[in-house]
Amino acid sequence: MRASFRLKTVVATLGLLGAAVAGQAQAQNIKFAMVIPTTGPLTQYGDMVKEGVSTAVEQINAAGGINGKKIEVTTVDDACEPKQGPVAANRVVNAKIGYMIGPVCSGAAIAAAPIYDNEGVVVVTPSATSPALTEGKNFHYIFRTIGRDDQQGPSAAKFIIEKAKPSKVAVLHDKQSYGQGIASSVRDELQKAKVNVALFEGINAGDSDYSAIITKLKSAGVDFVYYGGYHPEMGLLLRQASEQGLKVRMMGPEGVGNPEVNAIAGNAVEGMLVTLPADFSTNPKNAAIVKAFQDKKRNPSGAFQLTAYAATQAIAESIKAVGDDPKKVADHLHKAKIDTVIGPVSWNKQGDLTSFDFQIFQWHKDGSKTTAAK
C-alpha cells in the first residue's frame, strides 16, 4: 500500500509540474484576438481575414516569434452585426487580450471601437472602411490596414466618369454604415462632375426579392448602377435584373468582391465592376509569403487576406520594437513606418493610413477577376 501511495504521489507531482511548465509556457505567449464573423451571411469575409492572420502568425512563430515569445490567437465571433460588436469587445477585454485584428465589418467596428479604446486594446482592422470608425473620434488605439470609403468612393466615381461614361446613373445602398457611406461618397463625386444621378435609394439587406427596385431602375432609364453594400444583395440584384431584362452595368465596393457572389448571381455576374485593394499577391517581393498561403491551400489574392497579414505584421513589429505593452505599441504605430506585405505603411493621428491603393477590377463568371480597362 505504501509503495502504491508513493507511486501515486510521484505521478501526481509530475502531473502538477507538467501543468505548471505548460502554464508557464503559455504565459510566455503573446495573446492576439481575431474578431471576425464565424456565423451569419458574411462569414466569407471572416474566412479571408482568418487566412491572412493565420498565415502571418505561422510565419512569425516559425521564425522564433516576437522577441522569443509565440503569438497565441483567440477567435471571437461578432457575426458582422453592430449589436454583437460590443459583446465581442467585452469578451476580448475580459480575456485580458491587448491586441486585436478586426473587426471585419464597419458597423460592428464602429459599435465596438469605444470599448477597445477605453480599455487600451490595440485594434488594427484590415477591412472596415467607413470613415465614421475614426473620423473625429480622437481614438488612440484604433488603426486600419485598408483605405477609407472616402478614398474608395472617389476611385469608383473616377472610373465611372472617365471610363464607363454613363448617361444616367442609379446609386443604391443597403441602409447600413458601410454601404450607405460609400454610396453617398460615390453619389457626391458623380454630382460634382455633373453626372446625372437619377436615383439614390436604399434597399433592405436580407430581402430575397428586389423586383420593385429593378422596376424603378427600368422606369428611370438608367444605364449604370452603383451599389453600396455586400455580396448577397449584389448577387440578387445582378441575377434579378438579368431575369427582368434590365441590361445595365453594375459596380460595387470591396464588400461585393466575394466568390460567393458567383453562386448567387450565376452568369449575370460577368462584367460586374468592383473596387478592391490592389492585388498585392502579384508583387514579386511577396513570392515567399504567397507560397506560404498556397502551401496551406489558402488564397492570397482575395480582398482582405494580405491586409489582414499586414495588420498582424504591424502589431508584431511594434511589439518587437517597444515591448509587450499595448499603450507603447499604440504610441509606436502612430509615429512608425512599418514594412509590410502591402508595402510600407504609416498612420495619421486618427489611425488611418496615410495612403492606400484601391483599384478597379472586372469580375468574371468563372470567379476570376481582371483589371478593368473600361
Side-chain angles (χ1 to χ4, degrees):
M1 291 292 289
R2 287 180 181 174
S4 174
F5 177 76
R6 286 196 197 101
L7 180 60
K8 287 180 181 176
T9 302
V10 169
V11 170
T13 302
L14 287 172
L16 288 170
L17 284 170
V21 170
Q24 188 175 10
Q26 195 164 5
Q28 294 302 310
N29 293 341
I30 298 175
K31 293 182 178 181
F32 283 22
M34 177 172 58
V35 176
I36 61 175
T38 61
T39 58
L42 302 176
T43 56
Q44 293 88 352
Y45 301 110
D47 292 341
M48 292 178 189
V49 171
K50 185 177 181 180
E51 286 188 344
V53 172
S54 298
T55 307
V57 169
E58 288 161 6
Q59 295 285 295
I60 293 165
N61 284 346
I66 305 172
N67 300 332
K69 297 181 179 182
K70 298 296 179 70
I71 301 172
E72 174 190 337
V73 180
T74 298
T75 302
V76 179
D77 177 30
D78 68 0
C80 261
E81 293 182 359
K83 288 180 181 178
Q84 292 300 313
V87 177
N90 284 320
R91 286 183 62 190
V92 173
V93 170
N94 291 338
K96 301 189 186 308
I97 299 172
Y99 312 99
M100 196 276 281
I101 296 102
V104 171
C105 295
S106 290
I110 291 166
I115 296 171
Y116 290 118
D117 198 68
N118 288 338
E119 297 295 335
V121 178
V122 175
V123 170
V124 184
T125 174
S127 52
T129 53
S130 173
L133 174 60
T134 52
E135 187 70 36
K137 300 295 174 61
N138 200 31
F139 290 144
H140 186 67
Y141 291 87
I142 311 298
F143 301 86
R144 315 180 204 241
T145 47
I146 194 166
R148 296 176 13 153
D149 289 337
D150 48 7
Q151 294 169 304
Q152 185 176 188
S155 295
K158 186 172 188 288
F159 181 91
I160 295 168
I161 296 161
E162 296 180 1
K163 303 290 185 181
K165 299 179 180 178
S167 59
K168 197 179 286 189
V169 179
V171 179
L172 307 178
H173 59 82
D174 63 1
K175 304 179 184 177
Q176 298 179 35
S177 298
Y178 163 67
Q180 187 166 355
I182 193 164
S184 298
S185 174
V186 171
R187 176 202 59 192
D188 294 348
E189 291 297 317
L190 293 177
Q191 289 178 335
K192 282 181 195 173
K194 309 298 183 186
V195 174
N196 184 357
V197 179
L199 197 67
F200 181 78
E201 192 161 325
I203 63 171
N204 295 317
D207 282 359
S208 59
D209 182 3
Y210 293 115
S211 56
I213 192 67
I214 290 166
T215 299
K216 270 193 176 183
L217 296 174
K218 290 172 79 172
S219 298
V222 301
D223 56 348
F224 194 98
V225 175
Y226 183 89
Y227 172 67
Y230 293 102
H231 73 277
E233 291 72 36
M234 181 60 140
L236 288 174
L237 286 168
L238 286 162
R239 191 183 81 210
Q240 292 172 10
S242 176
E243 290 169 351
Q244 293 182 46
L246 176 62
K247 297 180 179 179
V248 296
R249 204 163 191 192
M250 293 196 187
M251 183 181 201
E254 89 289 351
V256 307
N258 188 313
E260 185 64 23
V261 75
N262 291 62
I264 300 168
N267 289 341
V269 80
E270 180 64 42
M272 177 185 77
L273 295 165
V274 56
T275 46
L276 290 168
D279 188 353
F280 303 106
S281 69
T282 61
N283 187 334
K285 292 180 180 178
N286 293 332
I289 292 168
V290 167
K291 185 178 185 304
F293 272 88
Q294 293 169 341
D295 287 347
K296 291 294 182 82
K297 301 191 182 322
R298 297 167 183 159
N299 175 19
S301 65
F304 305 131
Q305 280 91 335
L306 291 186
T307 57
Y309 192 108
T312 312
Q313 279 182 305
I315 296 173
E317 289 299 317
S318 292
I319 296 172
K320 196 177 292 184
V322 299
D324 182 7
D325 180 331
K327 185 180 186 307
K328 289 181 180 178
V329 167
D331 291 342
H332 184 259
L333 286 169
H334 276 291
K335 62 187 180 186
K337 178 175 278 191
I338 298 174
D339 192 23
T340 74
V341 71
I342 64 172
V345 294
S346 58
W347 296 266
N348 62 21
K349 288 181 180 179
Q350 293 187 146
D352 295 320
L353 291 174
T354 52
S355 65
F356 190 80
D357 185 17
F358 283 110
Q359 296 182 358
I360 316 298
F361 292 88
Q362 182 168 294
W363 209 265
H364 302 295
K365 60 186 177 183
D366 65 358
S368 65
K369 66 181 187 293
T370 53
T371 303
K374 62 179 181 177

